[in-house]
Amino acid sequence: MRQEKLFTRTLIASALMLGSIAAQASTLTIASPQDPGSWDPIDTFLVNWSSVATNIFDGLTYRGPDLKLVPGLATAWEELDDGKRIRFRLREGVTFHNGEPFNAQAVKFTFDRLLGEEGARGPQSSNYSAISEVKVIDDNTIDFHLAQPDPVLLTKLAGYGAMIVPPAYIAEHGDEHFNRNPVGTGPFKLADYTPRENVRLAAYEDHWGGAPKLEQVNYRFISEPATAVAELQAGRVDIVIPPTIPIGMIETIKSHPSLSIISVASPTVEALRFNTKSGITADERVRKAIIMAVDRDAIIHSILAGEAESIASFQGALSFGHDPEMKPLPYDPQQAKSLLKAAGIKPGTQLQIDVRGNDSTFGEVAQVVASYLQMVGLNASIRPYETNVLLNDIIPAGRTGDMFQQKWGGWTFDYDNTAYLMYHTGERWNPYDSDPKLDSMLEEQRSLTDQAKREQLLQEIARYTQDRALEIPLYNVNALYGVNNRVQNFQAAPDNRLRLTDVSIAE
């Protein structure tokens, strides 16, 4: 009898162990550097939101890692009335995670909300300002009426504020509840969320595109890069997403027998932007002197190990509006000194550089920039902020130092998505500058249907902002993913927008 009980206990223990292994095998764990704080699509601009939420929500269109635009919740669309009306045919039989039906009324609710009072409190509504009205034709057909044509709108509908949300659920529970308990139509649904710690997703078996291969995805918020890499090495994390991995740890990851580094060209650009309203950087001569004092190519090769390209404007080479003939202001410390002298800036003058405190790679870059500035007589101090504080409080409120870090993942691969939000008067990311000429150019390019003319105007905008020296355009950085080799069918997204439907874990 004792042997039978022992045998039974052994069988149960073995079954439990196998069940645990199976559960682990169907769970993907991802290290993300930042908790966005809200899961509502209209509240955010953060790529770390999109890394998660691309799996919770769907848009009318979808653009994957190959950058091709394909149908999403809309199966087809046609442009009418000279580009001022777009008719969408909607996918039938789709449900939200709470069982609520997706239909044209849900689309109208989503955009009325985005373009109304609720959306105005967030950072996304200006991206969709061309939409004047959304009209329901029937349950499966909807028309977007535009005040003016928007050549980037179909791409914008694939992300961020345009993600379709459930009307009845939000009406019942309210916006605050939705922030922490999002419901979409995506391949995964929210299982639980612990702010600043993790968010766990479970497969939505009834997704219109088919059930995911994974049972769960667990995103752990790990702000410290060294900790994230250590967890990857220990096997407790399967993927570390950009921009977490420090350049100095690439070889460490590559040398691990179970790990790989995936490097892909990305839309992400880095700059140090200027306070153009007050202090010494209100003087254009000083701004140009600071730009010419910094050897950006040396930074790319020495700190970034070549995993970046220099930029002349705040966009990468894949961006529509990029001008390959445009060159960065040269590294010329002598000319920088002359400009500072002409502006009356005395040697030893202080200035402050604000950065994201958890971005160790950029921390090194900022230290080198400070060293270059010291060589031309400027004493730069570096002030780190917690990322959410810098992005949600300090920059929008215009409370930065003389220079501040701006990382921008222009995910539409169109300069409009960067330039309008960075330079137009009153925009969240433009707390200091107001330039009527620049405003006019930015508004004009949004209404052009002739893409050749629009590209030319975008290039003019880039040259104009360079001439005014609104920032130091530093580099276009590659997206670096650290991945455990047991992860199968993973596609590294250039813009961090991971879609995990087909991903699996090898046993």
Side-chain angles (χ1 to χ4, degrees):
M1 179 69 70
R2 184 176 300 170
Q3 287 181 331
E4 288 179 1
K5 288 182 177 180
L6 179 61
F7 180 68
T8 300
R9 285 199 298 269
T10 302
L11 283 176
I12 292 171
S14 298
L16 289 172
M17 182 177 70
L18 288 171
S20 174
I21 292 171
Q24 290 174 3
S26 63
T27 298
L28 181 75
T29 302
I30 298 174
S32 176
Q34 183 183 12
D35 178 356
S38 170
W39 297 108
D40 190 331
I42 65 175
D43 286 347
T44 190
F45 52 86
L46 297 172
V47 292
N48 292 307
W49 175 91
S50 196
S51 299
V52 179
T54 297
N55 297 288
I56 299 174
F57 297 102
D58 291 310
L60 295 178
T61 61
Y62 172 70
R63 196 197 68 194
D66 62 1
L67 305 184
K68 294 179 180 178
L69 199 65
V70 297
L73 289 175
T75 58
W77 52 85
E78 56 181 329
E79 295 189 25
L80 306 166
D81 302 340
D82 297 322
K84 290 191 174 182
R85 179 164 62 100
I86 306 176
R87 172 160 292 184
F88 293 93
R89 306 290 180 183
L90 304 181
R91 199 174 293 276
E92 299 182 35
V94 176
T95 58
F96 289 93
H97 301 152
N98 64 335
E100 188 176 335
F102 161 76
N103 50 32
Q105 286 75 22
V107 177
K108 178 173 173 56
F109 172 83
T110 295
F111 285 91
D112 285 351
R113 180 173 180 263
L114 170 63
L115 299 171
E117 290 184 9
E118 179 67 18
R121 291 193 285 271
Q124 282 294 333
S125 60
S126 66
N127 271 330
Y128 305 90
S129 59
I131 303 170
S132 59
E133 188 178 11
V134 175
K135 285 188 177 181
V136 173
I137 305 304
D138 57 45
D139 271 358
N140 304 307
T141 311
I142 196 159
D143 281 0
F144 280 41
H145 292 261
L146 310 182
Q148 60 189 30
D150 183 345
V152 196
L153 182 60
L154 289 172
T155 299
K156 293 175 186 175
L157 296 179
Y160 295 93
M163 298 291 94
I164 306 303
V165 299
Y169 179 82
I170 292 176
E172 178 182 355
H173 296 284
D175 295 321
E176 192 61 35
H177 179 84
F178 186 61
N179 288 347
R180 296 199 172 198
N181 302 275
V183 167
T185 64
F188 290 88
K189 59 186 177 182
L190 185 82
D192 58 65
Y193 169 48
T194 303
R196 294 182 177 272
E197 289 187 17
N198 76 303
V199 60
R200 188 166 54 86
L201 309 182
Y204 182 51
E205 302 292 336
D206 296 326
H207 186 251
W208 55 267
K213 292 181 172 62
L214 294 164
E215 292 179 9
Q216 294 186 14
V217 180
N218 181 30
Y219 288 82
R220 293 174 55 193
F221 303 125
I222 305 175
S223 61
E224 177 54 49
T227 303
V229 173
E231 291 295 277
L232 179 69
Q233 291 174 304
R236 290 186 288 269
V237 161
D238 298 302
I239 299 173
V240 175
I241 63 175
T244 302
I245 296 172
I247 296 296
M249 300 195 77
I250 290 177
E251 291 304 319
T252 300
I253 294 172
K254 282 183 176 180
S255 65
H256 193 290
S258 300
L259 305 177
S260 298
I261 285 283
I262 301 176
S263 176
V264 293
S266 85
T268 302
V269 284
E270 292 266 19
L272 281 168
R273 304 194 69 210
F274 293 114
N275 177 347
T276 60
K277 189 175 183 179
S278 61
I280 66 169
T281 51
D283 190 318
E284 185 179 297
R285 294 169 296 180
V286 173
R287 300 197 298 268
K288 287 184 176 177
I290 291 172
I291 295 171
M292 298 177 83
V294 178
D295 189 343
R296 285 144 283 163
D297 286 335
I299 288 172
I300 290 170
H301 293 295
S302 64
I303 296 179
L304 304 178
E307 292 285 350
E309 297 288 338
S310 62
I311 52 176
S313 60
F314 202 25
Q315 60 183 324
L318 296 177
S319 169
F320 184 81
H322 174 261
D323 183 355
E325 301 300 318
M326 185 175 167
K327 304 301 179 187
L329 289 180
Y331 171 55
D332 190 340
Q334 290 306 121
Q335 178 64 13
K337 290 179 181 179
S338 297
L339 286 169
L340 290 172
K341 184 177 180 180
I345 304 300
K346 296 179 179 180
T349 297
Q350 303 285 324
L351 78 162
Q352 179 179 306
I353 303 174
D354 296 344
V355 301
R356 303 182 186 190
N358 71 330
D359 190 337
S360 60
T361 298
F362 197 86
E364 291 183 50
V365 171
Q367 292 287 351
V368 173
V369 169
S371 296
Y372 278 121
L373 295 182
Q374 189 172 36
M375 292 168 63
V376 298
L378 297 174
N379 290 338
S381 61
I382 298 169
R383 181 168 185 178
Y385 284 94
E386 196 275 324
T387 298
N388 282 346
V389 172
L390 181 64
L391 299 183
N392 295 322
D393 182 14
I394 301 301
I395 295 175
R399 297 196 294 114
T400 73
D402 304 278
M403 301 160 68
F404 56 96
Q405 178 188 3
Q406 187 80 64
K407 181 192 298 286
W408 193 252
W411 74 278
T412 61
F413 288 89
D414 190 297
Y415 188 43
D416 164 81
N417 180 250
T418 302
Y420 198 97
L421 300 180
M422 295 294 151
Y423 308 127
H424 195 281
T425 299
E427 284 295 322
R428 177 189 183 92
W429 303 116
N430 181 25
Y432 300 119
D433 206 60
S434 181
D435 185 331
K437 180 179 178 180
L438 187 51
D439 287 349
S440 178
M441 288 193 289
L442 289 165
E443 291 159 8
E444 182 185 353
Q445 62 83 25
R446 281 197 160 182
S447 64
L448 293 175
T449 55
D450 185 323
Q451 289 291 65
K453 289 183 178 178
R454 195 172 78 87
E455 183 177 37
Q456 183 180 12
L457 184 52
L458 286 172
Q459 291 174 345
E460 289 178 16
I461 290 169
R463 287 191 291 270
Y464 185 80
T465 59
Q466 184 190 62
D467 188 57
R468 287 203 55 217
L470 297 180
E471 67 260 317
I472 307 177
L474 291 169
Y475 45 79
N476 175 200
V477 67
N478 290 348
L480 297 174
Y481 291 82
V483 183
N484 191 298
N485 295 337
R486 67 188 174 190
V487 179
Q488 306 293 305
N489 300 319
F490 172 70
Q491 286 186 284
D495 53 6
N496 284 31
R497 299 174 66 240
L498 303 178
R499 187 77 158 185
L500 301 170
T501 311
D502 296 325
V503 173
S504 61
I505 299 289
E507 296 184 14

